Short mmCIF file of all heavy atoms in Angstrom, two decimals:
data_model
loop_
_atom_site.label_atom_id
_atom_site.label_comp_id
_atom_site.label_asym_id
_atom_site.label_seq_id
_atom_site.Cartn_x
_atom_site.Cartn_y
_atom_site.Cartn_z
N GLU A 1 234.98 -22.41 294.17
CA GLU A 1 235.57 -21.20 295.00
C GLU A 1 237.10 -21.13 294.84
O GLU A 1 237.77 -20.11 294.64
CB GLU A 1 235.03 -21.18 296.33
CG GLU A 1 233.58 -20.91 296.45
CD GLU A 1 233.00 -21.11 297.91
OE1 GLU A 1 233.83 -21.41 298.74
OE2 GLU A 1 231.80 -20.85 298.06
N LYS A 2 237.74 -22.34 295.15
CA LYS A 2 239.18 -22.36 295.21
C LYS A 2 239.83 -22.09 293.83
O LYS A 2 240.81 -21.39 293.75
CB LYS A 2 239.63 -23.70 295.76
CG LYS A 2 241.17 -23.87 295.98
CD LYS A 2 241.55 -25.11 296.70
CE LYS A 2 243.02 -25.10 296.99
NZ LYS A 2 243.44 -24.13 297.92
N LEU A 3 239.23 -22.63 292.84
CA LEU A 3 239.83 -22.49 291.43
C LEU A 3 239.16 -21.28 290.76
O LEU A 3 239.60 -21.02 289.58
CB LEU A 3 239.56 -23.78 290.62
CG LEU A 3 240.13 -25.01 291.19
CD1 LEU A 3 239.89 -26.22 290.28
CD2 LEU A 3 241.72 -24.81 291.35
N ARG A 4 238.28 -20.60 291.33
CA ARG A 4 237.60 -19.38 290.73
C ARG A 4 236.95 -19.76 289.47
O ARG A 4 237.12 -19.11 288.40
CB ARG A 4 238.63 -18.27 290.59
CG ARG A 4 239.20 -17.74 291.86
CD ARG A 4 240.12 -16.65 291.74
NE ARG A 4 240.67 -16.13 293.04
CZ ARG A 4 241.48 -15.12 293.19
NH1 ARG A 4 241.92 -14.40 292.14
NH2 ARG A 4 241.95 -14.75 294.33
N ILE A 5 236.20 -20.83 289.37
CA ILE A 5 235.36 -21.19 288.29
C ILE A 5 233.95 -21.42 288.72
O ILE A 5 233.68 -21.54 289.90
CB ILE A 5 235.95 -22.63 287.74
CG1 ILE A 5 235.94 -23.66 288.72
CG2 ILE A 5 237.23 -22.36 287.09
CD1 ILE A 5 236.41 -25.01 288.26
N SER A 6 233.02 -21.43 287.89
CA SER A 6 231.62 -21.60 288.22
C SER A 6 231.33 -23.06 288.79
O SER A 6 232.13 -23.96 288.47
CB SER A 6 230.72 -21.36 287.07
OG SER A 6 230.80 -22.47 286.07
N ILE A 7 230.26 -23.19 289.54
CA ILE A 7 229.87 -24.45 290.07
C ILE A 7 229.53 -25.39 288.81
O ILE A 7 229.89 -26.67 288.97
CB ILE A 7 228.77 -24.37 290.96
CG1 ILE A 7 229.04 -23.55 292.27
CG2 ILE A 7 228.16 -25.78 291.33
CD1 ILE A 7 227.88 -23.41 293.20
N HIS A 8 228.93 -24.84 287.81
CA HIS A 8 228.68 -25.70 286.61
C HIS A 8 229.96 -26.23 286.02
O HIS A 8 229.95 -27.38 285.59
CB HIS A 8 227.89 -24.72 285.65
CG HIS A 8 227.57 -25.45 284.36
ND1 HIS A 8 226.54 -26.44 284.26
CD2 HIS A 8 228.09 -25.32 283.09
CE1 HIS A 8 226.54 -26.97 283.10
NE2 HIS A 8 227.32 -26.16 282.36
N THR A 9 230.91 -25.37 285.90
CA THR A 9 232.23 -25.80 285.34
C THR A 9 232.84 -26.91 286.15
O THR A 9 233.43 -27.91 285.68
CB THR A 9 233.20 -24.67 285.14
OG1 THR A 9 232.55 -23.69 284.27
CG2 THR A 9 234.55 -25.07 284.56
N ALA A 10 232.83 -26.65 287.48
CA ALA A 10 233.48 -27.60 288.44
C ALA A 10 232.75 -28.97 288.33
O ALA A 10 233.38 -29.98 288.34
CB ALA A 10 233.40 -27.10 289.87
N SER A 11 231.40 -28.95 288.20
CA SER A 11 230.58 -30.12 288.15
C SER A 11 230.91 -30.84 286.80
O SER A 11 231.00 -32.13 286.82
CB SER A 11 229.11 -29.73 288.30
OG SER A 11 228.34 -30.94 288.13
N ASN A 12 231.08 -30.06 285.73
CA ASN A 12 231.41 -30.62 284.47
C ASN A 12 232.66 -31.34 284.47
O ASN A 12 232.88 -32.46 283.92
CB ASN A 12 231.34 -29.63 283.32
CG ASN A 12 229.92 -29.27 282.97
OD1 ASN A 12 228.97 -29.92 283.24
ND2 ASN A 12 229.77 -28.22 282.25
N HIS A 13 233.67 -30.75 285.11
CA HIS A 13 235.01 -31.37 285.29
C HIS A 13 234.88 -32.73 286.01
O HIS A 13 235.45 -33.76 285.54
CB HIS A 13 235.96 -30.48 286.05
CG HIS A 13 236.68 -29.42 285.19
ND1 HIS A 13 237.32 -29.72 284.14
CD2 HIS A 13 236.66 -28.07 285.24
CE1 HIS A 13 237.87 -28.61 283.53
NE2 HIS A 13 237.38 -27.56 284.23
N ARG A 14 234.14 -32.67 287.06
CA ARG A 14 233.95 -33.99 287.83
C ARG A 14 233.32 -35.06 286.98
O ARG A 14 233.79 -36.18 286.95
CB ARG A 14 233.13 -33.66 289.11
CG ARG A 14 232.92 -34.94 289.92
CD ARG A 14 231.84 -34.53 291.06
NE ARG A 14 232.35 -33.55 291.95
CZ ARG A 14 232.87 -33.80 293.21
NH1 ARG A 14 232.97 -35.03 293.58
NH2 ARG A 14 233.19 -32.95 294.02
N THR A 15 232.32 -34.70 286.25
CA THR A 15 231.58 -35.61 285.41
C THR A 15 232.59 -36.19 284.29
O THR A 15 232.56 -37.35 284.09
CB THR A 15 230.37 -35.00 284.68
OG1 THR A 15 229.53 -34.56 285.81
CG2 THR A 15 229.65 -35.94 283.87
N ARG A 16 233.30 -35.32 283.79
CA ARG A 16 234.13 -35.71 282.67
C ARG A 16 235.28 -36.66 283.13
O ARG A 16 235.66 -37.54 282.45
CB ARG A 16 234.68 -34.46 281.99
CG ARG A 16 235.56 -34.71 280.66
CD ARG A 16 235.61 -33.46 279.81
NE ARG A 16 236.06 -32.23 280.52
CZ ARG A 16 235.24 -31.18 280.76
NH1 ARG A 16 233.98 -31.17 280.31
NH2 ARG A 16 235.79 -30.10 281.36
N ILE A 17 235.83 -36.30 284.31
CA ILE A 17 236.92 -37.23 284.92
C ILE A 17 236.34 -38.64 285.13
O ILE A 17 236.92 -39.58 284.77
CB ILE A 17 237.36 -36.60 286.28
CG1 ILE A 17 238.14 -35.31 286.01
CG2 ILE A 17 238.18 -37.61 287.00
CD1 ILE A 17 238.47 -34.52 287.29
N LEU A 18 235.13 -38.69 285.75
CA LEU A 18 234.54 -40.03 285.92
C LEU A 18 234.36 -40.77 284.58
O LEU A 18 234.54 -41.92 284.60
CB LEU A 18 233.22 -39.85 286.73
CG LEU A 18 233.27 -39.32 288.12
CD1 LEU A 18 231.89 -39.17 288.76
CD2 LEU A 18 234.13 -40.27 289.04
N LYS A 19 233.84 -40.06 283.61
CA LYS A 19 233.67 -40.60 282.34
C LYS A 19 234.97 -41.13 281.71
O LYS A 19 234.97 -42.33 281.17
CB LYS A 19 232.95 -39.66 281.42
CG LYS A 19 232.61 -40.19 280.02
CD LYS A 19 231.75 -39.28 279.19
CE LYS A 19 231.36 -39.91 277.89
NZ LYS A 19 230.57 -38.90 277.06
N LYS A 20 235.92 -40.43 281.81
CA LYS A 20 237.30 -40.81 281.21
C LYS A 20 237.80 -41.99 281.81
O LYS A 20 238.33 -42.88 281.19
CB LYS A 20 238.29 -39.58 281.34
CG LYS A 20 238.11 -38.50 280.34
CD LYS A 20 239.27 -37.45 280.52
CE LYS A 20 239.23 -36.42 279.51
NZ LYS A 20 240.32 -35.43 279.68
N LEU A 21 237.59 -42.12 283.22
CA LEU A 21 238.18 -43.23 283.95
C LEU A 21 237.16 -44.39 284.08
O LEU A 21 237.49 -45.40 284.67
CB LEU A 21 238.54 -42.69 285.37
CG LEU A 21 239.62 -41.70 285.43
CD1 LEU A 21 239.81 -41.15 286.87
CD2 LEU A 21 240.91 -42.15 284.78
N ASN A 22 235.98 -44.25 283.42
CA ASN A 22 234.90 -45.29 283.46
C ASN A 22 234.54 -45.67 284.91
O ASN A 22 234.49 -46.78 285.26
CB ASN A 22 235.36 -46.48 282.78
CG ASN A 22 234.22 -47.47 282.48
OD1 ASN A 22 233.02 -47.06 282.32
ND2 ASN A 22 234.56 -48.69 282.38
N LEU A 23 234.40 -44.65 285.78
CA LEU A 23 234.04 -44.79 287.15
C LEU A 23 232.58 -44.25 287.27
O LEU A 23 232.15 -43.37 286.64
CB LEU A 23 235.03 -44.05 288.07
CG LEU A 23 236.48 -44.44 287.82
CD1 LEU A 23 237.42 -43.62 288.68
CD2 LEU A 23 236.65 -46.01 288.35
N LYS A 24 231.94 -44.74 288.45
CA LYS A 24 230.58 -44.34 288.69
C LYS A 24 230.41 -43.20 289.59
O LYS A 24 229.47 -42.45 289.60
CB LYS A 24 229.72 -45.57 289.16
CG LYS A 24 229.54 -46.65 288.10
CD LYS A 24 228.75 -47.81 288.63
CE LYS A 24 229.45 -48.62 289.72
NZ LYS A 24 228.71 -49.75 290.15
N ASN A 25 231.34 -43.11 290.61
CA ASN A 25 231.16 -42.06 291.68
C ASN A 25 232.43 -41.74 292.37
O ASN A 25 233.55 -42.22 291.87
CB ASN A 25 230.19 -42.65 292.71
CG ASN A 25 230.54 -44.01 293.20
OD1 ASN A 25 231.82 -44.21 293.53
ND2 ASN A 25 229.72 -44.96 293.35
N THR A 26 232.39 -40.78 293.20
CA THR A 26 233.64 -40.31 293.83
C THR A 26 234.32 -41.25 294.61
O THR A 26 235.54 -41.31 294.78
CB THR A 26 233.30 -39.06 294.68
OG1 THR A 26 232.70 -38.07 293.82
CG2 THR A 26 234.57 -38.46 295.33
#
């Protein structure tokens, strides 16, 4: 809502960030 993007896109960003940093969770 804040960035005016879809939930799917926001979720993909979160997943991609974790993958790049080799982290499991928030």
Side-chain angles (χ1 to χ4, degrees):
E1 293 172 356
K2 186 172 182 64
L3 299 182
R4 297 183 179 180
I5 57 178
S6 70
I7 295 178
H8 179 71
T9 300
S11 179
N12 282 345
H13 275 301
R14 183 190 291 263
T15 300
R16 190 157 48 247
I17 289 166
L18 293 177
K19 185 175 181 179
K20 282 185 177 182
L21 299 176
N22 194 28
L23 302 173
K24 292 181 291 186
N25 51 46
T26 303

